[in-house]
Amino acid sequence: MTTPLPVFRLLLALGAGLILTGLPAPSRAQNIVVMVNGDPITDFDIEQRSKLDQLTTQKTPSRQEVINELIDDKVKLKEGKKYGVDPGISDINQSYEGMAQRMRLSPEQLTKSLEVKGVRPETLKGRMKAEMVWTSLVRGRFKEKLMVGERDVAQAVQAQTGDKLQIEGTEYKMQPIVLIVPRGSSPAFIETRHKEAEQYRSRVGSCEEANSLFRSTPNATIRDSVTKTTAELPEALRKVLDDTPIGHLTAPEVTKSGIEMVVLCSRKPTMIDTPKKREVREKMYSEKYEKTQKAYLDDLRKAAMIEYRNR
C-alpha cells in the first residue's frame, strides 16, 4: 500500500528551497512505458511521481519503485470503479483544499509551491484519489475482518505490561448541581444552604425533576450532563455513585462554588477504555489493515494485464 502523503514532510520540503523549477516536458515525456489493464503509464507520469516522492520522503526512489506505485494506483482505481467507488473532481478538490488548510496554505499557494518544485498539482491529486479509493475499498469490503476484539486488546495489553485489565466497567451519566454560596458567607448561612440541599434531595426522583426544579430555583444552577466511565473516576466517587439510586442526588458537599450535589441520570455496564488500550487497539488495527490490503493488492496485481513497453 502506498503510504498516505505525510503533510508535515510535504510542508518541510516545500520550504526547503530545493532547486527544481518549472514543469519540463522532455521529448520522451509521452512515451508509454507500461500498459495496465489498457491504461497507459508514460515517462512523464514516472518523472512527476518521482519528483513528488522526493518531495515528500526526502529520498530518491528507484525508477522501478515509482513504476510499481503507479501500477498499484491504476489497479486500485479500476477496482474502485468495479464497486462504484469513484470520487469526483469536487471530492478530490475538497481533499486537496483540506491538505492545504492543514499546512496553513490556500489551495492556490499549495499549487504554486508544488509547481516551483516541478510537480503538477494533478500529480498530487491523482495520488490522493487512489488512496481515497483504496482506503474506502479495504475498509468497506473487509470491515468484519478488520475488527479488533476488546478481549484481544486486553490480552495484548496484559502481555505487554503484565497488568490484568478490567474489560467491563460502568458508565455514569450525571449532572452537577450547585446551590450558590457567596464568598464570605457566615457559617450559619452555609448551614442553612446545606439544609436546603438535603430538602431538595428528598424531592428529586429523576433527572427531569432535577432540571425542572433547579432551572427555576434562585441562586441555584444545574449544569449540562457529563458521562464518565469507571476508569475515569476515583474509587471514592465510584462508590458514592454506585450507592446512589438512579434519578437521585448525592449527598451535599461544601466547595468553593457553594453547596454541590450530583443527580445520577443513568448507570450502565460498558467496555472500559484507557490510553494504553487505545494505543494497542490502533496498532492491532493497523497491522490487520496492512496485512489485509497487501493480500488484496497482490491478488489484484496478479489478475491485472500489465504490459511493459519501454523501461
Side-chain angles (χ1 to χ4, degrees):
M1 179 181 180
T2 305
T3 304
L5 184 65
V7 175
F8 71 94
R9 288 183 181 174
L10 180 57
L11 179 60
L12 289 174
L14 290 176
L18 298 178
I19 305 177
L20 290 171
T21 59
L23 295 173
S27 58
R28 296 180 62 248
Q30 296 306 318
N31 284 352
I32 296 175
V33 179
V34 190
M35 293 292 291
V36 183
N37 295 319
D39 200 3
I41 294 175
T42 68
D43 275 319
F44 185 64
D45 297 328
I46 296 169
E47 290 167 3
Q48 280 288 293
R49 177 56 71 89
S50 295
K51 289 179 180 179
L52 181 61
D53 285 354
Q54 281 183 293
L55 192 58
T56 58
T57 66
Q58 300 299 296
K59 296 178 182 179
T60 303
S62 70
R63 180 176 171 84
Q64 188 57 48
E65 286 174 335
V66 174
I67 290 173
N68 284 336
E69 286 182 13
L70 292 169
I71 291 174
D72 288 348
D73 284 358
K74 298 288 186 186
V75 169
K76 292 171 182 177
L77 291 171
K78 182 182 179 183
E79 183 74 355
K81 289 181 179 179
K82 176 181 175 181
Y83 288 95
V85 182
D86 188 17
I89 294 176
S90 61
D91 297 316
I92 305 303
N93 286 340
Q94 185 176 358
S95 182
Y96 187 79
E97 290 170 7
M99 174 175 287
Q101 288 176 359
R102 291 191 294 275
M103 297 169 67
R104 298 182 179 179
L105 299 172
S106 69
E108 294 74 21
Q109 288 173 323
L110 175 56
T111 295
K112 288 179 181 178
S113 298
L114 288 169
E115 289 177 343
V116 165
K117 310 302 180 184
V119 179
R120 288 159 52 92
E122 289 77 11
T123 300
L124 173 56
K125 290 181 180 181
R127 177 173 172 174
M128 293 171 72
K129 179 176 181 178
E131 288 310 311
M132 288 169 66
V133 167
W134 191 238
T135 300
S136 181
L137 274 176
V138 176
R139 290 180 177 174
R141 293 202 63 205
F142 302 99
K143 183 178 179 180
E144 298 296 326
K145 188 174 182 180
L146 294 173
M147 290 182 65
V148 178
E150 289 300 313
R151 293 187 182 277
D152 292 335
V153 174
Q155 289 172 1
V157 173
Q158 184 177 357
Q160 288 184 24
T161 65
D163 297 330
K164 184 175 181 180
L165 295 184
Q166 183 180 5
I167 298 173
E168 294 183 353
T170 304
E171 178 184 272
Y172 306 91
K173 183 179 179 181
M174 50 200 158
Q175 286 185 264
I177 294 163
V178 181
L179 302 186
I180 299 170
V181 175
R183 289 185 180 180
S185 296
S186 66
F189 181 81
I190 295 175
E191 180 61 25
T192 298
R193 290 297 266 165
H194 199 282
K195 289 180 180 178
E196 288 177 17
E198 290 290 359
Q199 291 174 356
Y200 288 132
R201 286 186 74 198
S202 65
R203 294 170 54 186
V204 171
S206 69
C207 270
E208 291 76 14
E209 289 180 4
N211 276 273
S212 177
L213 174 62
F214 290 106
R215 291 192 190 284
S216 60
T217 299
N219 299 318
T221 183
I222 181 167
R223 296 172 181 159
D224 293 336
S225 62
V226 294
T227 301
K228 298 288 185 181
T229 65
T230 305
E232 299 173 293
L233 297 173
E235 184 177 354
L237 182 53
R238 293 202 306 266
K239 186 176 188 312
V240 169
L241 294 174
D242 287 338
D243 292 340
T244 301
I246 303 297
H248 288 253
L249 297 169
T250 58
E253 293 185 19
V254 179
T255 68
K256 292 181 180 179
S257 301
I259 307 295
E260 293 197 29
M261 299 175 286
V262 168
V263 57
L264 181 62
C265 299
S266 67
R267 180 177 55 227
K268 58 184 180 181
T270 188
M271 302 301 289
I272 297 177
D273 211 0
T274 64
K276 184 63 178 178
K277 283 184 68 176
R278 286 192 290 272
E279 176 190 333
V280 170
R281 185 188 299 109
E282 289 170 4
K283 182 180 179 182
M284 292 176 71
Y285 180 88
S286 295
E287 290 173 349
K288 280 192 173 190
Y289 183 95
E290 183 60 28
K291 182 178 179 181
T292 300
Q293 72 86 24
K294 185 178 184 305
Y296 187 17
L297 185 57
D298 286 345
D299 289 341
L300 292 180
R301 284 194 60 141
K302 288 175 184 176
M305 294 179 61
I306 302 173
E307 178 190 354
Y308 283 89
R309 297 281 183 87
N310 300 295
R311 298 222 184 197

